[in-house]
Amino acid sequence: MKDELYPIPGPARRPFVGNLLQIPRGRMSAHMLALSRQYDGIFELDFGGICVPFVSSAALAEELCDEARFRKVIRPPLSLLRKVVGDGLFTAHSNQQPWGKAHRVLMPAFSQRAMKSYFGAMLEVAEQLSASWDRRTGEDILVADDMTRLTLDTISLAGFGYRFNSFDKAELHPFLGAMVRVLSHTMSKLTRLPLLNRISKDSPEFLGDIEQMNQLVDEVIRSRRERPAGTGDLLDLMLHAEDPDTGERLDDVNIRHQVLTFLVAGHETTSGLLTFAIYLLLRHPHVLAQAYTEVDQVLPDETVPEYRHLAQLNVIERILKETLRLWPTAPAITVAPYEDTVIGGRYRIRKDQTVNIQLPALHRDPAVWQEPDSFDIDRFLPEREARIHPHAYKPFGNGERACIGRQFALTEAKLALAMVLQRFALSDPYDYRLDIKETLTLKPDNFRIHVKRRAPHERMRPATPPTPEHTPLAAANVQGAGEELVVAYGSTLGTARELAEQLADQARRRGFNARSQALDEFADGWPTQGVLIAVTATYNGRAPHPPPP
């Protein structure tokens, strides 16, 4: 006997407007989170004739994240941003060529090896933040504004070689003002009748803000064309790299869209993460004490951070992960089924119908998370993290369309938070009460703190050196005596190839006749003698592309 199908529950609707008038202006995510507590993992809202299910349970999210049944779709609010960023990676349609081409071209810019090359730019901007806070001891610091300066300057310098120099002036850069107005205008359309959005024209001010953003991006691109850097950064790849599948380069319009996408999405989410993290640390002094202790061990006194230190910052990493659980700054994933389907054994979803996974609610699913509203960084201790439902935590999206900049964001945030705690004592003189500002992303609004330099006597003096994240095993006394050894690699981002070359080099020093070689070269058969080691990975479940020549 087939399971009986049920209508998706939801609040009472009004004629013509549905649930639109029930959504508080500028508080959509907060409203969705409150509604999720009233329903069992799913509810539906009527946006003036457009009905959208909202999912908050890990069990249902698991079905929606099955990329054989569901795909990411670009619907409001993302679709409304296409006037600004067009076919940028964040807003391009999956089934059209621009997304696939740009994704393949730009993936090498986000490998682990690439993170090392960006570290100098990240450190430079974090030092500028530190110098600015030194000058403002005892003054009010608007955390979100300074985290915005930090993340905008970092992505622009590391990715495009462009300096906003945001810490040189008290006002935010005009680009940011234009961006905030564009995002606010875009989000305001969500609670208007769809008919009004279709017939209304954009204001001259809105179009002027878009033009101002375009002019800055065009200047960044023009400057690089006139003075090539040859650094292999994001902009170099956009201008010169060829798609490994088609051999084509990105066209000029798409380059503009990609630069805008990274400047907007690439800084906005990370600034929110850091602002929420500082807020939560000041609300949980026992966790703040753990963070200070770790930073004092890994970065004693005035140690200048190096890339290798990041792997030792385990408490900082858990703080960031738990912050993203409670307050995922990009708060939703929007998908639609390829065909009519049923989820949860009881709810019918029609072909192409929008379904929204609400991340703040998903990350509080009581079936997965104990005391889900509590800030508990120990949820992400390795042994506990391994037991988390694989679809209960999605701060960077899902599958093939997951955030390409995840590693960049976490590296940048880890370094910035560690340096803030290494150098400053933080205080909240106003006993701030969380007030979340919602644009395309979430962040605390009007959150002000005071800072002062930490004195030497305030630092922990560890009796023993910090324990490395991984204890190296004693090297076995293995000698190759000329034996053949092949380290085969499959690589999309270059990391597996780099590891294979290191292993082959070590083997040669131990007397093996060793070489590294692409897995594709063994399509006709494996070596029949000697030792074979394979080094490979997947990108969100997909096989690696062939390595570049």
Side-chain angles (χ1 to χ4, degrees):
M1 179 177 176
K2 291 184 177 180
D3 292 336
E4 185 178 355
L5 298 183
Y6 292 84
I8 299 173
R13 309 171 187 187
R14 294 183 179 179
F16 189 60
V17 297
N19 301 112
L20 277 176
L21 298 182
Q22 301 166 12
I23 302 173
R25 186 178 180 85
R27 291 289 185 268
M28 177 170 284
S29 289
H31 184 65
M32 301 305 173
L33 179 57
L35 280 177
S36 73
R37 302 181 194 278
Q38 302 175 29
Y39 297 95
D40 187 18
I42 187 171
F43 61 89
E44 184 175 80
L45 294 183
D46 181 345
F47 291 82
I50 299 174
C51 295
V52 180
F54 290 82
V55 165
S56 61
S57 83
L60 292 176
E62 181 172 9
E63 294 193 58
L64 298 177
C65 290
D66 180 353
E67 293 184 283
R69 296 172 61 195
F70 291 85
R71 69 195 187 282
K72 176 180 176 176
V73 290
I74 308 302
R75 305 277 168 82
L78 282 187
S79 61
L80 301 175
L81 276 180
R82 285 179 58 83
K83 288 187 177 181
V84 186
V85 296
D87 280 324
L89 281 177
F90 201 39
T91 51
H93 297 287
S94 301
N95 59 349
Q96 296 179 355
Q97 187 185 40
W99 178 80
K101 182 196 295 188
H103 193 256
R104 292 186 294 269
V105 164
L106 296 177
M107 273 201 303
F110 295 97
S111 67
Q112 192 67 41
R113 181 165 53 180
M115 293 308 108
K116 297 178 185 177
S117 70
Y118 299 144
F119 184 79
M122 294 178 179
L123 179 63
E124 179 181 335
V125 179
E127 291 282 11
Q128 292 170 8
L129 168 72
S130 179
S132 173
W133 283 15
D134 266 332
R135 295 190 297 268
R136 291 185 285 159
T137 296
E139 299 177 10
D140 282 2
I141 289 174
L142 278 167
V143 181
D145 281 7
D146 274 8
M147 293 304 117
T148 294
R149 289 181 171 93
L150 172 87
T151 56
L152 178 69
D153 283 24
T154 298
I155 185 61
S156 63
L157 181 58
F160 312 118
Y162 183 85
R163 296 180 184 274
F164 278 92
N165 295 320
S166 297
F167 290 104
D168 291 351
K169 51 190 84 71
E171 312 81 31
L172 290 174
H173 193 280
F175 176 89
L176 288 170
M179 184 203 72
V180 168
R181 290 189 294 273
V182 165
L183 293 180
S184 296
H185 176 77
T186 298
M187 292 298 292
S188 70
K189 294 182 177 183
L190 291 179
T191 52
R192 291 164 53 183
L193 284 171
L195 176 62
L196 292 178
N197 287 330
R198 286 196 294 269
I199 65 176
S200 63
K201 293 184 178 180
D202 291 317
S203 68
E205 292 78 14
F206 175 75
L207 297 175
D209 283 334
I210 293 176
E211 180 57 26
Q212 183 176 9
M213 295 168 70
N214 286 338
Q215 287 177 358
L216 182 138
V217 169
D218 289 346
E219 173 57 31
V220 171
I221 296 169
R222 182 166 50 251
S223 176
R224 176 61 64 87
R225 288 192 190 278
E226 292 172 355
R227 293 181 293 278
T231 57
D233 63 8
L234 267 171
L235 190 52
D236 268 0
L237 285 173
M238 291 178 193
L239 292 171
H240 305 299
E242 295 180 350
D243 174 10
D245 283 9
T246 67
E248 298 174 356
R249 295 183 180 182
L250 302 183
D251 62 55
D252 287 352
V253 172
N254 193 255
I255 292 171
R256 174 201 270 183
H257 290 161
Q258 301 302 344
V259 174
L260 272 171
T261 294
F262 284 111
L263 287 178
V264 175
H267 91 273
E268 182 75 355
T269 49
T270 312
S271 66
L273 164 61
L274 285 165
T275 306
F276 275 119
I278 291 172
Y279 162 77
L280 288 166
L281 286 174
L282 286 170
R283 285 291 169 276
H284 299 86
H286 64 291
V287 181
L288 180 59
Q290 291 181 60
Y292 275 130
T293 300
E294 177 177 81
V295 168
D296 289 345
Q297 290 177 329
V298 177
L299 302 171
D301 301 319
E302 296 295 320
T303 300
V304 176
E306 299 175 17
Y307 185 80
R308 63 182 177 84
H309 290 129
L310 297 181
Q312 302 173 44
L313 296 170
N314 302 311
V315 172
I316 299 293
E317 182 170 309
R318 285 188 277 130
I319 288 168
L320 294 172
K321 287 181 176 180
E322 176 68 348
T323 299
L324 283 170
R325 185 189 70 82
L326 282 174
W327 299 115
T329 51
I333 301 172
T334 304
V335 300
Y338 290 103
E339 304 292 343
D340 287 1
T341 190
V342 173
I343 62 173
R346 58 193 295 165
Y347 301 117
R348 184 183 301 281
I349 307 294
R350 299 293 184 185
K351 177 183 178 181
D352 296 330
Q353 181 181 5
T354 296
V355 186
N356 193 295
I357 305 173
Q358 273 301 113
L359 298 183
L362 174 70
H363 292 179
R364 290 171 169 81
D365 180 0
V368 175
W369 307 97
Q370 292 184 354
E371 298 184 14
D373 290 309
S374 298
F375 180 66
D376 179 6
I377 69 170
D378 287 349
R379 300 181 202 273
F380 292 95
L381 287 168
E383 64 276 12
R384 292 181 62 182
E385 184 175 9
R387 297 195 297 268
I388 295 173
H389 189 294
H391 296 282
Y393 183 71
K394 295 281 185 179
F396 293 97
N398 177 67
E400 189 175 44
R401 290 299 297 262
C403 176
I404 195 174
R406 170 179 182 163
Q407 196 63 41
F408 186 100
L410 290 176
T411 301
E412 172 190 14
K414 210 173 186 183
L415 173 65
L417 186 57
M419 288 180 66
V420 163
L421 296 176
Q422 178 197 30
R423 301 179 184 191
F424 297 99
L426 312 178
S427 62
D428 173 10
Y430 303 106
D431 192 23
Y432 174 75
R433 182 175 180 180
L434 185 60
D435 179 22
I436 296 177
K437 182 176 182 178
E438 298 185 22
T439 53
L440 186 66
T441 62
L442 309 179
K443 65 177 62 175
D445 192 25
N446 200 33
F447 174 39
R448 295 171 292 166
I449 64 171
H450 284 187
V451 302
K452 71 177 185 66
R453 268 280 178 170
R454 295 179 67 200
H457 70 271
E458 295 175 312
R459 301 180 186 275
M460 296 287 295
R461 297 292 177 182
T464 58
T467 302
E469 187 176 35
H470 302 292
T471 303
L473 297 175
N477 185 22
V478 177
Q479 298 299 322
E483 185 174 3
E484 293 281 333
L485 185 147
V486 176
V487 188
Y489 58 86
S491 197
T492 293
L493 302 180
T495 303
R497 181 176 186 171
E498 183 177 7
L499 290 171
E501 290 168 352
Q502 292 174 4
L503 286 171
D505 182 61
Q506 292 179 25
R508 281 191 292 271
R509 292 201 299 269
R510 291 180 175 273
F512 288 90
N513 180 17
R515 69 185 188 278
S516 60
Q517 204 165 332
L519 277 167
D520 287 351
E521 297 178 31
F522 297 104
D524 295 329
W526 298 107
T528 56
Q529 58 183 358
V531 178
L532 173 67
I533 300 173
V535 180
T536 190
T538 66
Y539 181 83
N540 290 328
R542 300 295 182 91
H545 286 289

